[in-house]
Amino acid sequence: MATIERMEVGQRMSRIVKHNETVYLCGQVGADANTDITEQTRTMLDKVDVLLEQSGTDKSYILSATIYLRDMKDFAAMNEVWDAWIPKGHAPARACVEARLARPELLVEISVVAAVK
């Protein structure tokens, strides 16, 4: 029978769920919602790095990423940070959509699925 491991479990969600050698991260946003899209994207991806490390994997094992932008006008600036962050040759399947986020000052959020190393 498959084992499900939940890490950093709260009432509403777990920050990390592992199942069948796959890691699922809850949505991540930037560290400071009062910064621009570049900084929010950079610190959001820093958080992803930390959670993936906690899970026993890293960004080169990301299978899928869904990125939510408050406004698609920020698409190019977000992609500059993303392109510098993702290891060459390890780009995951990815979708990017415009969406209203939990608070108006949030410009970007990401949901990640990765394989365990």
Side-chain angles (χ1 to χ4, degrees):
M1 182 167 186
T3 301
I4 298 172
E5 179 184 358
R6 301 174 200 281
M7 302 166 70
E8 296 191 37
V9 179
Q11 165 120 15
R12 184 167 295 147
M13 67 183 157
S14 299
R15 291 194 65 190
I16 302 165
V17 176
K18 292 171 77 173
H19 177 257
N20 286 345
E21 302 298 313
T22 304
V23 174
Y24 303 85
L25 302 183
C26 70
Q28 296 299 305
V29 297
D32 182 352
N34 297 308
T35 58
D36 66 9
I37 187 65
T38 299
E39 184 63 13
Q40 284 192 37
T41 303
R42 188 186 65 72
T43 60
M44 172 189 76
L45 295 174
D46 288 346
K47 288 178 170 183
V48 169
D49 280 330
V50 169
L51 292 174
L52 290 173
E53 184 177 335
Q54 265 182 264
S55 306
T57 193
D58 63 49
K59 62 189 167 193
S60 67
Y61 286 82
I62 295 176
L63 303 171
S64 174
T66 304
I67 299 170
Y68 306 92
L69 287 174
R70 186 184 78 182
D71 192 321
M72 288 306 280
K73 72 176 176 49
D74 291 327
F75 186 70
M78 178 278 300
N79 272 329
E80 282 185 41
V81 178
W82 172 269
D83 291 344
W85 178 75
I86 201 72
K88 187 173 181 163
H90 294 275
R94 191 187 98 165
C96 185
V97 298
E98 185 174 272
R100 276 193 283 180
L101 301 177
R103 298 187 322 265
E105 59 274 9
L106 292 172
L107 303 177
V108 63
E109 182 171 349
I110 192 169
S111 178
V112 171
V113 177
V116 174
K117 272 194 208 182

